[in-house]
């Protein structure tokens, strides 16, 4: 039930609690594995969280990814049977993360080395994101 109240924090304007965006309590996320553990001070922060943690979910293993590119790489490298067969034949199946780079590697470790050496990714980057999600 909405009720009228006066916002005493900075302005004495009659408002409904949900309409005072400046003083609204933090919004919690209950989507997926969050269970209300994450709270956000505004809608923009919550939207960013949702986009990077809940929008791109693998239908097979239910892992979340920060974007469409990461989900596509995950589907290809983890769940695609044809890629698995190619890998067993010794073909290079691990694609570079950088858009426009066509480099394919034979192992995740070689891809990691390529990313660090050629594209200056930091050594601490989560290269396992393709397997683990966020």
């Amino acid at each position: 039930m909405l009720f009228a109240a006066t916002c005493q924090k900075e302005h004495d304007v009659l408002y409904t609690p949900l309409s005072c965006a400046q003083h609204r309590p933090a919004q919690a996320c209950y989507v997926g594995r969050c269970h209300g553990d994450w709270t956000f001070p505004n809608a923009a922060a919550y939207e960013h969280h949702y986009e990077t943690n809940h929008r791109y979910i693998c239908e097979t293993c239910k892992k979340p990814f920060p974007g469409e590119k990461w989900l596509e790489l995950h589907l290809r490298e983890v769940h695609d049977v044809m890629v698995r067969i190619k890998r067993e034949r010794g073909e290079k199946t691990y694609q570079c993360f950088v858009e426009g780079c066509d480099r394919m590697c034979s192992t995740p470790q070689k891809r990691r080395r390529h990313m660090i050496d050629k594209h200056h990714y930091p050594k601490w980057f989560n290269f396992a994101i393709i397997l683990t999600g966020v």
Side-chain angles (χ1 to χ4, degrees):
M1 170 172 70
L2 294 179
F3 57 91
T6 303
C7 178
Q8 299 295 329
K9 294 187 180 174
E10 288 182 21
H11 45 78
D12 291 328
V13 178
L14 196 62
Y15 76 102
T16 57
L18 296 177
S19 68
C20 183
Q22 284 184 305
H23 305 110
R24 186 179 305 145
Q27 181 175 357
C29 179
Y30 293 93
V31 178
R33 297 183 267 181
C34 283
H35 307 292
D37 297 334
W38 292 91
T39 57
F40 307 93
N42 55 48
Y46 174 77
E47 185 175 326
H48 175 73
H49 165 79
Y50 183 87
E51 287 294 318
T52 57
N53 292 282
H54 302 299
R55 181 173 174 131
Y56 301 100
I57 307 289
C58 175
E59 294 286 326
T60 305
C61 64
K62 307 300 182 212
K63 291 178 182 172
F65 293 89
E68 185 176 8
K69 169 184 121 175
W70 300 104
L71 175 59
E72 287 175 0
L73 281 169
H74 168 77
L75 291 169
R76 184 178 181 282
E77 293 183 13
V78 176
H79 300 296
D80 190 318
V81 176
M82 292 305 295
V83 171
R84 197 173 307 148
I85 291 169
K86 288 179 181 181
R87 192 173 300 136
E88 288 170 1
R89 290 181 185 162
E91 294 183 37
K92 296 177 179 181
T93 60
Y94 296 97
Q95 182 179 346
C96 177
F97 295 162
V98 175
E99 197 167 320
C101 180
D102 296 330
R103 178 73 181 251
M104 299 293 283
C105 299
S106 57
T107 68
Q109 294 79 14
K110 288 183 180 179
R111 173 173 55 197
R112 179 183 183 275
R113 177 61 34 216
H114 165 76
M115 301 293 297
I116 293 168
D117 292 346
K118 302 299 182 204
H119 302 295
H120 309 290
Y121 268 58
K123 291 180 180 180
W124 50 261
F125 182 81
N126 179 15
F127 291 96
I129 192 169
I130 302 301
L131 298 174
T132 63
V134 290

